[in-house]
Amino acid sequence: MQNNLNKKLGYLGTPWEEAYGYAQAVQVGNMLYVSGQLSHDSSGNLVGPAPLDAAGKVTDTSNMDVQMRTTYANAAKLLAQFGATLDQVVEEVVYVTDMDAAFAVAGTVRKVAYGTAKPACASSILETPRLAFREQLVEISFTVVLQE
């Protein structure tokens, strides 16, 4: 099938890009759609994984802060591939496995990530029982308007 949208794709080289089959970001015109980002290092290892019990349930959410900070840092690296920064984010959706743990750190983490006391983007936060990896506490997707 021919792609008439002239898409530009971005990747971070994580193992799940190939396994799941997707791009981390897709640019169409001056719009950039960023897949859910998470807390991983350059090798694809989860940073600050939450501890699990024998049944695979999270037992401690205190790593929400490190996971959220790393997720924003990874998003910034991905945006840089397109000559963009978090300043150009117009919308984010934050998915968390524990709303209380997220609210305890999200305000501070977001203000540092965006470099301002009032980040200039629309933001939604949703609680979900589980994300892609059991030890994962947060995932954030972004919509970005690129410079013309």
Side-chain angles (χ1 to χ4, degrees), residues 72-86:
Y72 278 107
N74 286 339
K77 288 178 201 170
L78 183 61
L79 295 181
Q81 292 180 21
F82 295 85
T85 67
L86 288 169

Side-chain angles (χ1 to χ4, degrees), residues 1 23 32 39 48 53 56 69 87-88 94 100 108 113-114 122 147:
M1 177 184 277
L32 182 64
S39 167
D53 65 15
R69 281 188 287 111
D87 290 338
Q88 293 161 263
V94 182
D100 293 332
T108 300
Y114 286 101
Q147 300 296 327

Side-chain angles (χ1 to χ4, degrees), residues 57-129:
K57 300 288 185 194
V58 170
T59 61
D60 180 0
T61 59
S62 62
N63 284 345
M64 181 69 76
D65 180 81
V66 69
Q67 283 199 24
M68 196 174 285
R69 281 188 287 111
T70 307
T71 298
Y72 278 107
N74 286 339
K77 288 178 201 170
L78 183 61
L79 295 181
Q81 292 180 21
F82 295 85
T85 67
L86 288 169
D87 290 338
Q88 293 161 263
V89 171
V90 294
E91 181 182 36
E92 66 176 15
V93 180
V94 182
Y95 302 92
V96 298
T97 58
D98 185 296
M99 190 65 75
D100 293 332
F103 263 98
V105 301
T108 300
V109 171
R110 291 181 72 253
K111 290 171 184 178
V112 169
Y114 286 101
T116 181
K118 291 186 178 181
C121 68
S123 181
S124 298
I125 186 167
L126 305 166
E127 184 177 80
T128 182

Side-chain angles (χ1 to χ4, degrees), residues 122-141:
S123 181
S124 298
I125 186 167
L126 305 166
E127 184 177 80
T128 182
R130 184 178 157 192
L131 293 163
F133 301 103
R134 292 193 180 281
E135 304 88 353
Q136 183 182 352
L137 301 171
V138 61
E139 183 169 313
I140 308 171
S141 63

Side-chain angles (χ1 to χ4, degrees), residues 24-38:
Q24 295 282 349
V26 178
Q27 178 186 347
V28 177
N30 72 329
M31 296 299 300
L32 182 64
Y33 304 92
V34 179
S35 296
Q37 297 300 295
L38 57 120

